[in-house]
Amino acid sequence: MAVDTVIYHNPECGTSRNALAMIRNADIEPHVVEYLKTPPLRALLVQLIERAGMTPRELLREKGTPYVDRGLGDTSLPDDVLVDAMMAHPILINRPLVVSPLGVKLCRPSEAVLDLLPADQLGAFAKEDGEQVVDVSGQRVV
């Protein structure tokens, strides 16, 4: 299906891989941006954060990043400093961030991507850990 969808993806991340697989399970081939190799420009990152209705702090990833070493837990730091840190260390950008005609969202948990897809799932889907997310009729499992 020709739907303009972008996923800011880290192939080493299970959540990101699951979100990508659900996009494809809706017969949508997204533009995959491996943001650790090709980070978004600063203006685009700021725009994505705003469109997602988030703050830069809400997009910051702590686990496996220089978050603590850079003192980013200091809640008095202004947004510009946090964005600068993400630009200097893209691993600080949480993932997967998905852009579709229905909006922009940090898809954690991965099944949050289903809210952004303008097409139904083609069939059953289970996450890598075996958790069933979509049933055989393509409906979200609640």
Side-chain angles (χ1 to χ4, degrees):
M1 175 178 274
V3 174
D4 195 19
T5 302
V6 178
I7 181 171
Y8 291 87
H9 177 62
N10 178 350
E12 300 298 316
C13 172
T15 302
S16 196
R17 289 191 305 269
N18 284 322
L20 177 58
M22 281 183 264
I23 294 168
R24 289 178 171 155
N25 195 45
D27 197 28
I28 297 170
E29 186 54 44
H31 302 282
V32 178
V33 178
E34 289 190 33
Y35 71 95
L36 295 177
K37 294 178 181 176
T38 311
L41 297 174
R42 189 181 205 290
L44 177 57
L45 180 61
V46 169
Q47 180 187 62
L48 291 169
I49 291 167
E50 289 172 358
R51 288 179 61 201
M54 301 176 74
T55 65
R57 181 160 301 284
E58 292 170 320
L59 188 61
L60 270 178
R61 180 168 176 81
E62 294 179 36
K63 184 179 173 186
T65 73
Y67 179 88
V68 172
D69 295 341
R70 310 285 288 158
L72 299 174
D74 178 352
T75 57
S76 70
L77 292 173
D79 288 349
D80 282 348
V81 170
L82 302 179
V83 173
D84 289 344
M86 286 187 263
M87 294 307 305
H89 305 280
I91 192 71
L92 287 164
I93 302 170
N94 214 339
R95 74 281 181 158
L97 195 59
V98 178
V99 181
S100 86
L102 300 180
V104 178
K105 191 173 201 170
L106 174 62
C107 294
R108 297 190 77 80
S110 57
E111 58 268 25
V113 75
L114 297 172
D115 298 332
L116 289 177
L117 300 179
D120 294 331
Q121 294 286 287
L122 298 178
F125 181 84
K127 293 186 198 181
E128 291 178 359
D129 66 4
E131 179 186 351
Q132 195 72 34
V133 177
V134 177
D135 65 21
V136 294
S137 64
Q139 299 302 304
R140 187 182 215 160
V141 174
V142 183

